[in-house]
Amino acid sequence: MTETSRPAAHPLEFTASHRELLDQVLDKWSVHILDELCERPARFNELRRAIPAVTQKSLTATLRRLERNGIVERSVVRSRPVAVEYRISPLGKTLRAPIDALLEWIATHGADVDRARGRFDDEAEHDLGRLGR
Amino acid sequence: MTETSRPAAHPLEFTASHRELLDQVLDKWSVHILDELCERPARFNELRRAIPAVTQKSLTATLRRLERNGIVERSVVRSRPVAVEYRISPLGKTLRAPIDALLEWIATHGADVDRARGRFDDEAEHDLGRLGR
DNA sequence: CGGGATCCCAAGCGATACTG
DNA sequence: CAGTATCGCTTGGGATCCCG
């Protein structure tokens, strides 16, 4: 009677708010930014240079989102001209481990995925041929 | 001289193909599907019932994508009517650990994120008030 | 049962121009 | 330097109808 209907499923359920959080934290640029900020704090244009592909709009949006979620901290130094520094928060640091786990999975299994894709696409093309081109 | 320009960055670089793979494996429905298939193989309409929010189109698309990437395997039992079974592949099983790491991060730190959002939104509203409504 | 084919919309993002 | 504002495209995904 330690478990009810589910066969000891797995520990966690995956709800809509989980998905939302994942989307915000693993979106197109978050990982890049976290990469940079984990090594050192950086200013806005430093990040732009470090991640050349990001547009300023997306960089702003992603930083705001990460700041809102408590993952990065923004501090304004009122000098001339203004200096704004972004750094990773304590909460943000706890995100490294799970993200790195993901990246390591890609590093070790990415080649397997590539091979699987090759097989899949070959078979698809082959099946297409069988059906008269 | 054990390190060059980068300050021993971190082990992995995050390229476009990494991003693509992440998108395919962590997309809106993949996690749900993997959750289900990790516990037991399932048929198409079983998955639909297990994940009521998914549309048939998205379920088909996601399963195809996961199959192409070698994460799930599809087998057709030619009976009357046809029976199609999806199950997780060995490669797919290796994905559990990193994904669970992510889900556990959410489980343990999700509340922190919520509080951070509350603070951020409050400050935003407050700052808005200071600027004349 | 297990899909395929269409239509459509909102969100994400890039490109570009402007600002305190 | 560190953004904001607009425009427009591309995509993911929902809704719906149809099929072997």
Side-chain angles (χ1 to χ4, degrees):
Chain A
M1 208 13 199
T2 56
E3 48 198 48
T4 54
S5 54
R6 290 264 167 168
H10 67 82
L12 315 151
E13 210 196 345
F14 190 60
T15 72
S17 74
H18 292 150
R19 170 101 312 274
E20 192 206 357
L21 191 44
L22 269 195
D23 284 340
Q24 302 213 357
V25 154
L26 290 184
D27 76 346
K28 185 166 186 184
W29 299 111
S30 297
V31 180
H32 291 279
I33 294 177
L34 258 13
D35 271 10
E36 293 301 322
L37 293 186
C38 269
E39 297 177 32
R40 66 199 178 297
R43 314 233 328 235
F44 189 83
N45 284 311
E46 279 186 289
L47 288 173
R48 290 194 72 174
R49 284 188 293 273
I51 311 167
V54 74
T55 64
Q56 138 273 60
K57 174 185 171 180
S58 296
L59 182 55
T60 305
T62 308
L63 285 171
R64 285 277 182 284
R65 200 158 43 225
L66 292 176
E67 187 196 356
R68 176 167 185 269
N69 290 339
I71 306 296
V72 311
E73 293 165 357
R74 190 183 101 118
S75 56
V76 182
V77 180
R78 259 156 19 286
S79 52
R80 291 297 342 290
V82 205
V84 178
E85 195 183 77
Y86 293 92
R87 60 189 187 287
I88 194 152
S89 72
L91 177 57
K93 283 179 188 166
T94 67
L95 240 181
R96 289 292 330 161
I99 288 187
D100 278 349
L102 223 45
L103 297 183
E104 279 174 38
W105 181 86
I106 294 181
T108 59
H109 297 286
D112 296 337
V113 173
D114 280 339
R115 276 190 294 276
R117 288 180 181 178
R119 283 195 303 275
F120 185 93
D121 295 347
D122 280 358
E123 287 175 25
E125 195 174 334
H126 178 252
D127 289 354
L128 229 64
R130 292 197 331 140
L131 298 175
R133 211 319 178 242
Chain B
M1 207 10 199
T2 55
E3 47 197 50
T4 55
S5 53
R6 289 263 167 169
H10 66 82
L12 315 151
E13 210 195 346
F14 189 62
T15 72
S17 74
H18 292 151
R19 170 102 310 276
E20 193 206 356
L21 191 43
L22 270 196
D23 283 341
Q24 303 214 356
V25 154
L26 291 184
D27 75 348
K28 185 165 187 184
W29 299 110
S30 296
V31 179
H32 290 280
I33 294 177
L34 258 13
D35 271 11
E36 294 301 323
L37 294 186
C38 269
E39 296 177 32
R40 65 199 178 298
R43 314 232 329 233
F44 189 83
N45 284 311
E46 278 186 289
L47 288 173
R48 290 193 73 173
R49 283 187 294 272
I51 312 167
V54 74
T55 63
Q56 162 273 336
K57 174 187 170 179
S58 295
L59 182 55
T60 307
T62 307
L63 284 170
R64 284 279 181 283
R65 201 158 41 226
L66 292 176
E67 187 196 357
R68 177 168 183 265
N69 290 339
I71 307 297
V72 312
E73 292 165 358
R74 191 181 101 118
S75 57
V76 182
V77 181
R78 268 179 339 305
S79 52
R80 291 297 343 289
V82 205
V84 178
E85 194 182 76
Y86 293 92
R87 60 189 187 286
I88 195 153
S89 72
L91 176 58
K93 284 179 186 165
T94 68
L95 240 179
R96 289 292 330 162
I99 288 186
D100 278 349
L102 224 44
L103 297 184
E104 281 174 35
W105 183 86
I106 294 181
T108 58
H109 297 286
D112 297 336
V113 173
D114 280 339
R115 277 190 293 277
R117 288 180 180 179
R119 284 195 303 275
F120 185 93
D121 295 347
D122 280 358
E123 288 176 24
E125 196 174 333
H126 178 251
D127 289 354
L128 229 63
R130 294 198 328 139
L131 298 175
R133 205 330 168 228

